[in-house]
Amino acid sequence: EWKRQIWKVCGTIEFKSRKGIEIMCFNFRIIDIADGNQIIDRNLKTPYSALTPLQMVEYIEMDVQLAIMDMMERKAKEETGRKRLVSVRNQIYKIACFCGLV
């Protein structure tokens, strides 16, 4: 059970195929392009069985980095939402003071 929790945090997924076999996958694919750069496509899934040991290490490192980036993005969105709420409250308070309600 704890392995599934760790995998969910890191972004790997598991699903059942038609034969009832559980297949572990990364929820992204690293694509090499002609000029030597790599692109991360989050729309494609990469099964563990399709990777060499060296690629598996690369995918695990990238999975951790993507999880960290997602966490930072989520925190930034929460922070901007909080700042927006505080700003609205301040404006309502200023209007109430101006009208003499407070």
Side-chain angles (χ1 to χ4, degrees):
E1 183 63 32
W2 64 271
K3 288 182 181 178
R4 288 184 185 196
Q5 292 172 354
I6 290 173
W7 288 330
K8 286 180 184 176
V9 168
C10 289
T12 58
I13 59 169
E14 108 183 43
F15 64 93
K16 290 194 172 197
S17 67
R18 284 180 247 170
K19 298 177 183 176
I21 300 170
E22 291 186 3
I23 300 172
M24 297 300 299
C25 295
F26 289 103
N27 60 353
F28 64 92
R29 182 166 293 169
I30 299 174
I31 301 170
D32 294 324
I33 55 176
D35 62 357
N37 291 325
Q38 294 179 327
I39 298 174
I40 299 168
D41 188 356
R42 288 189 167 202
N43 296 323
L44 300 174
K45 294 175 179 47
T46 307
Y48 288 173
S49 59
L51 300 173
T52 65
L54 183 61
Q55 288 175 326
M56 181 64 86
V57 170
E58 186 176 344
Y59 270 76
I60 290 172
E61 290 174 359
M62 187 57 62
D63 196 19
V64 170
Q65 292 298 320
L66 289 173
I68 291 170
M69 287 173 43
D70 290 343
M71 182 177 54
M72 290 172 59
E73 183 179 335
R74 187 177 65 247
K75 284 184 179 180
K77 283 182 182 178
E78 289 173 359
E79 184 66 23
T80 56
R82 189 186 64 77
K83 285 182 181 178
R84 189 175 302 128
L85 182 62
V86 168
S87 175
V88 169
R89 285 183 183 163
N90 286 341
Q91 290 174 356
I92 293 172
Y93 181 75
K94 286 178 184 178
I95 291 171
C97 289
F98 182 73
C99 294
L101 299 173
V102 177

